[in-house]
Amino acid sequence: MREFVVEADGGSRGNPGPAGYGAVVLDAASGESLVEAAEYLGVVTNNVAEYRGLLAGLRAARELDPDARVHVRMDSKLVVEQMSGRWKIKHPDMKPLAAEAARIFPPGRVTYEWIPRAENKHADRLANEAMDAGARGERWSPADSTAELDAGGAAGRRARGARTGDERETGAAADERAAEGVGAGARAGGTPSLSARAGTESAPRAGAGERVGPTAPADDEDAPSTSARADAERARTGAVADAARAGGGAEGSRTGAVAESSRAGAGEADVRAARTVASPGWGPPDMGAPATFVLLRHGETPLTPQKRFSGSGGSDPSLSSVGREQAERVAASLARRGTIQAVVASPLARTRETAGIVAARLGLEVTVEEGLRETDFGAWEGLTFGEVRERYPADLDAWLASPDARPTGGGESFAATGARVAATRDKLVSAYAGRTVLLVSHVTPIKTFLRLALGAPPESLFRMELSAASLSVVAHYADGGASVRLFNETSHLR
C-alpha cells in the first residue's frame, strides 16, 4: 500500500478577508513532492481556508492512489484536533468541510499531526502565492510557482530572482496560531490546480564543474585531468569524459561522486540536482507493501576532498567535521519526514558514524550489515587515480575495461561486489518486507542497488554520480520487481 504525506495550510488577510490555501502531496518514502494544489478563495476566514487546503490535499492524494494511506501534517491546531476527533466542531461553516474531508478516504486510512509553522513552509508559500495571484486578478499557475524552492524542498519548477510578498494579517485565529502567513495559488471560484511532480529531470552535480564518464570509482579519488587521459578512457569505455575536470570523489564506482570540496557555491547546483525524483512504484495491490530502501551515502571523510581510493581494505577513515555536519543535516531531514523504521549500516567507520548520528535523531538502533561495505581496492587504497595510473597502468586499464578485473594486489572486482550486494539485497528484502529502512553505505554498493533495480548492465555504473550524504530510494516488491524512486538527492545539505 502506497503512503503519502499531505501538508496543507490556508490563511486570510483580514480574517475574514482575501484568502487562499496551499497543499502538497509528498511521497512518504523519499519526501519528494508529487502534486501541488493551490486556490484563491475570495473573502473567508483563516479556519475555512485551512479546511479547504486540507480538502485539496486529500483529493489530490486520492487521485494519485485511492487505496493509499495518508498522513496529514498541518500547523493548524484546530483542524488537526477536530479531524482527529479530540475537539468538537461547533462552527457551522466548518462542519460540512470536516465531514467532506472525512469521506475522501475510508476511516483509519488518514492520520493527523500538528507541526510548527516553520515545518509547513511549502504549503504556506503556496497559499501566499494564491492570495498574491488573486490580488492581481489572476489564477495561481503551477508553472510560475517557486513555493518548493523558496521552502527549501526538493526544488521549485524554476528559480526566480523576484519573489512576491508573502505576509498575511493574522487576525484572531480560532486555532491559537499567531502571525502565520500562508500561500496558495489563485484559482478564483474554480477547482484546485494540481501540479504533478513525479517526473525525473537530469541534474548537474554540486561542486565546481562537471564530469561525465568512466572516472575511477574510489570513495575519494582523483581521475585524469588532461584531455589525453580523458580520451584514453573514452576509448576504453565509450563514456564521455570531461577534459576540464575528470576527477572525482567516487567511492567505489567508475563515475564516483563529486566530493564537495567547497560548501560555498554548491547550493545552486544542488537546487537543480534535488529535482531528480522518480515516480512511486507500480506494484500491484496483491504484492503487498514493498521493502523500501532509503540509500544514504556516508558523509565526507578527510580523504574525500583529496579524491583518494578509500574502500574496505584501507585506513577506514572516520568522518571529517564537514561529514559530521552533513550527517546532522540528513538526520534532521529524515526526522521531519518521519518514515524511517530501521537503520542498517556498513561496518566501516564512516558509515557507522553517519548511521549513528541519524539513528540517534530518529530514536532507533543501528544494525551492522557486512554486505553493505565498500569494494576492497587492494594496493590502490589511499592513492589518487593519477598515482594509480603512474604506478599500475596495465592493471588500471584492465580494471576499467572489465567488471571482472581486480585492482592490483588482490582487491575486489566489481563483479564480485555486485554478487555480494545482490545477496545482501535479497536478505534485507526478506527481513524488512513492507517497511522503510535506511541503508547507510558507499558509492559502489548504492550504485549497484540502483543498477540491479533497473536491470541495467554493469557499464551503467559509469553513468551515475553520488554525492556525499546523498539520498536515493529503491522499493522492492515480493515478486522480485523493483522501483527506483529517488537518486542522488541533496537538498537537505543546503
Side-chain angles (χ1 to χ4, degrees), residues 2-353:
R2 291 173 66 181
E3 296 182 7
F4 298 130
V5 174
V6 168
E7 294 178 350
D9 203 355
S12 172
R13 293 171 176 170
N15 196 34
Y21 69 71
V24 57
V25 181
L26 308 173
D27 181 273
S30 67
E32 295 300 316
S33 60
L34 305 176
V35 175
E36 289 176 330
E39 184 182 5
Y40 177 68
L41 299 173
V43 177
V44 299
T45 65
N46 283 333
N47 299 141
V48 168
E50 289 161 348
Y51 264 105
R52 291 290 299 274
L54 170 63
L55 284 167
L58 291 175
R59 288 168 181 154
R62 192 178 190 283
E63 287 183 17
L64 289 174
D65 189 343
D67 297 319
R69 291 187 180 276
V70 179
H71 182 63
V72 175
R73 292 158 45 95
M74 298 180 69
D75 61 304
S76 170
K77 187 74 170 175
L78 179 78
V79 174
V80 168
E81 293 299 319
Q82 288 181 341
M83 292 304 299
S84 299
R86 292 184 289 269
W87 290 5
K88 291 183 178 180
I89 305 172
K90 298 180 180 180
H91 198 285
D93 290 343
M94 286 182 281
K95 284 184 177 181
L97 296 174
E100 185 177 358
R103 290 193 297 266
I104 294 176
F105 283 89
R109 292 245 299 276
V110 181
T111 56
Y112 290 86
E113 175 190 9
W114 177 86
I115 57 174
R117 178 191 168 197
E119 295 182 22
N120 203 26
K121 290 181 179 179
H122 191 160
D124 180 279
R125 277 297 299 141
L126 286 169
N128 273 293
E129 286 183 352
M131 288 185 281
D132 290 339
R136 298 190 301 268
E138 301 172 356
R139 291 186 175 185
W140 175 79
S141 169
D144 293 332
S145 175
T146 64
E148 188 174 8
L149 178 63
D150 294 344
R157 282 192 174 274
R158 53 180 173 153
R160 301 193 310 176
R163 293 173 59 182
T164 58
D166 62 353
E167 294 303 320
R168 71 163 186 220
E169 297 177 16
T170 58
D175 62 2
E176 302 176 353
R177 293 188 300 167
E180 52 183 347
V182 260
R187 296 279 306 239
T191 58
S193 172
L194 303 182
S195 169
R197 308 300 287 271
T200 61
E201 183 169 315
S202 178
R205 303 172 295 286
E210 293 207 1
R211 170 176 49 81
V212 180
T215 53
D219 181 11
D220 310 293
E221 59 166 4
D222 238 348
S225 59
T226 67
S227 59
R229 288 179 178 172
D231 289 342
E233 302 315 325
R234 281 196 294 270
R236 276 185 286 273
T237 68
V240 179
D242 187 324
R245 183 175 178 268
E251 173 185 338
S253 93
R254 297 177 187 174
T255 54
V258 173
E260 297 180 8
S261 58
S262 170
R263 299 293 302 277
E268 183 178 348
D270 274 351
V271 166
R272 298 191 300 272
R275 296 194 65 182
T276 307
V277 55
S279 58
W282 288 83
D286 58 350
M287 286 294 101
T292 302
F293 296 154
V294 179
L295 306 168
L296 170 62
R297 185 194 169 191
H298 62 79
E300 284 189 12
T301 76
L303 298 182
T304 304
Q306 299 176 33
K307 305 181 183 72
R308 295 183 180 276
F309 282 90
S310 182
S312 58
S315 60
D316 194 16
S318 298
L319 298 180
S320 64
S321 59
V322 171
R324 287 189 291 274
E325 180 182 354
Q326 290 171 334
E328 293 286 357
R329 286 175 178 263
V330 74
S333 176
L334 292 172
R336 286 192 297 271
R337 297 176 186 182
T339 57
I340 301 299
Q341 297 169 289
V343 179
V344 182
S346 151
L348 300 185
R350 53 194 180 272
T351 42
R352 286 189 290 107
E353 187 174 358

Side-chain angles (χ1 to χ4, degrees), residues 481-493:
S483 170
V484 175
R485 300 185 176 183
L486 187 69
F487 174 67
N488 197 37
E489 199 271 327
T490 57
S491 66
H492 49 274
L493 300 180

Side-chain angles (χ1 to χ4, degrees), residues 382-408:
L383 302 179
T384 66
F385 188 89
E387 289 169 343
V388 173
R389 165 67 68 203
E390 292 175 0
R391 300 182 192 185
Y392 310 105
D395 288 350
L396 182 61
D397 287 348
W399 182 71
L400 290 170
S402 171
D404 295 313
R406 294 183 174 187
T408 307

